Amino acid sequence: MLVLYNSNAGSAAEADIEALRSVPGVDLVDCEDPDDTIDAAAEAAHSGIDLVVAAGGDGTVHLVANGLMRAGPTADTRPALGVLPLGTGNDLARTLALPLKVSPIEALDALRHAERRCLDLIRVSHDGDDDHTDYAINVCAGGFSGAVDEVLTSELKATWGPLAYLVGAVKAMPDLDAYDTQFAWDGGPAERIAAYNVVVANARTAGGGKPVAPRANPEDGLLDVVVVRAQADIARLAARVLAGDYLDDEDIVFNRVSELYVESTPGMWFNVDGELRTNVPVTFKAVPQALRVCVGPKYVRDVEVPS
C-alpha cells in the first residue's frame, strides 16, 4: 500500500501522518508538489503496488486519480484508489460512504478490507488545448459557485454552520452575472441557456457536503449536469440544496449525458474537483469504469429519486 500526502497542503495534520508511519506494510510519501503527487501515483503500477491511498482533501484525491490514469490502459491494470479523508470538505469520501470521524489508522485498516468498485471519471478538455486534459473524479462547477466560494469565509462558516451556503448565496447575489451559455449535449446541436451556474458531476456533493448532484451515480457512465437558469431565485434554490434535492425545480435544467460542450459569454470559470482551471470553451466527457476505488459498507451507486 502506498499512501501519498502533501505536508504543505495544510489538510493532513502532522499527528495523523505520524500515526500512519507506525502502520506495517505502508509506504508513506510526502509529495510537496502537485506534479510529484501525480508522478508518484503513476509510477505505483510499475512498482507492483496494489492500492494507492490519497491522504488529505479532495485536491489530493484529484491529483492521485490523475496519476493513476497514467498508470495503465484500463482499470484492471491500474492500482486501486483509496481515500483517507483528512481534508475539510472530503466530498468524494461522502459519496463513497467512507468513515469521516475515525482515526487515520482505523480508516486505513478499513481501506485494506474495503470493497472495490469500478467508478467513472470526467475527462475535461479545454478548447484549443488538446494537450491539457484533466480528469475529475468528483464535481466540476462553473459560474455562481465561484462567487459563493469567494464570500464563504471561515468566520461565516463558524457562525452559520450548515446555513453558511445560504448566507453566502445572499451575499453573492448583488455581484451575480448571467452567462449567455451554449450547451451541446452528446454532440447534438447547440442549445442556448442564460445561466448563473453549471455543475457537471460524477459524485454527489461539493463544498463540504452540499448535495449539488444528489442523484449522481458514479458507475453509470453518464454525467449529471445541473444548470441554474439566470432568472432563478438563488436564495430559495440554496435552501432547497440544503434540504437535499432541488433538481425538479422550474429554474433548474437537469440532464444526464455522456458528453457535454460548454461555451459562454462572458467566459465562465470552471473548477475541476475544487481547483480553478479554465474560462474558455470546455468539453466534459464521461470515462466509464476508469478506476477501481475503495468504498464503504454503506455505499450505494443508485440514489432513490424522491416521489
Side-chain angles (χ1 to χ4, degrees):
M1 183 189 297
L2 175 66
V3 177
L4 304 179
Y5 74 101
N6 182 352
S7 59
N8 294 326
S11 57
E14 184 176 345
D16 292 335
I17 297 302
E18 285 303 314
L20 294 176
R21 294 188 191 281
S22 65
V23 180
V26 172
D27 187 6
L28 191 62
V29 178
D30 184 0
C31 301
E32 298 182 358
D33 181 87
D35 289 339
D36 293 341
T37 307
I38 293 174
D39 290 343
E43 293 167 3
H46 303 297
S47 304
I49 291 172
D50 176 61
L51 176 63
V52 178
V53 177
D58 290 303
T60 301
V61 177
H62 168 80
L63 294 172
V64 173
N66 275 265
L68 292 176
M69 288 299 289
R70 301 179 183 180
T74 66
D76 290 338
T77 61
R78 300 169 185 137
L81 169 65
V83 178
L84 190 60
L86 301 180
T88 53
N90 300 318
D91 281 296
L92 182 64
R94 297 170 192 272
T95 296
L96 302 180
L98 295 173
L100 301 180
K101 297 182 179 181
V102 299
S103 73
I105 293 179
E106 290 176 303
L108 205 62
D109 185 61
L111 290 175
R112 288 184 187 274
H113 305 96
E115 179 186 4
R116 299 175 182 182
R117 305 283 300 188
C118 280
L119 302 193
D120 308 330
L121 293 186
I122 306 171
R123 186 178 187 270
V124 185
S125 304
H126 307 175
D127 192 33
D129 189 359
D130 293 336
D131 294 330
H132 191 98
T133 297
D134 279 328
Y135 291 95
I137 191 168
N138 191 55
V139 170
C140 304
F144 174 63
S145 298
V148 174
D149 289 341
E150 287 179 3
V151 301
L152 281 180
T153 63
S154 298
E155 181 180 358
L156 191 66
K157 293 177 183 177
T159 302
W160 291 93
L163 294 177
Y165 183 73
L166 174 58
V167 177
V170 174
K171 285 179 174 289
M173 284 175 65
D175 299 322
L176 281 184
D177 290 319
Y179 295 85
D180 181 9
T181 310
Q182 295 187 65
F183 298 87
W185 317 89
D186 284 333
E191 176 184 0
R192 176 165 285 168
I193 302 173
Y196 276 152
N197 198 57
V198 179
V199 171
V200 183
N202 184 50
R204 296 170 193 137
T205 74
K210 295 186 289 290
V212 294
R215 305 176 196 172
N217 176 347
E219 299 183 41
D220 63 0
L222 298 173
L223 312 174
D224 275 36
V225 182
V226 183
V227 181
V228 179
R229 294 184 184 274
Q231 74 270 18
D233 182 338
I234 297 298
R236 178 179 59 80
L237 280 181
R240 290 202 64 184
V241 170
L242 290 175
D245 200 318
Y246 65 122
L247 300 183
D248 59 352
D249 193 279
E250 61 184 8
D251 289 331
I252 294 295
V253 177
F254 172 59
N255 209 345
R256 281 196 174 107
V257 295
S258 59
E259 184 174 337
L260 174 70
Y261 174 80
V262 182
E263 180 178 352
S264 72
T265 304
M268 179 181 288
W269 278 100
F270 272 93
N271 70 62
V272 176
D273 286 341
E275 301 296 323
L276 205 61
R277 282 293 185 267
T278 184
N279 68 341
V280 300
V282 59
T283 298
F284 304 94
K285 186 173 183 178
V287 184
Q289 297 187 331
L291 286 179
R292 292 177 296 128
V293 180
C294 297
V295 301
K298 294 184 179 180
Y299 165 79
V300 292
R301 49 168 287 171
D302 293 305
V303 176
E304 185 176 345
V305 178
S307 57

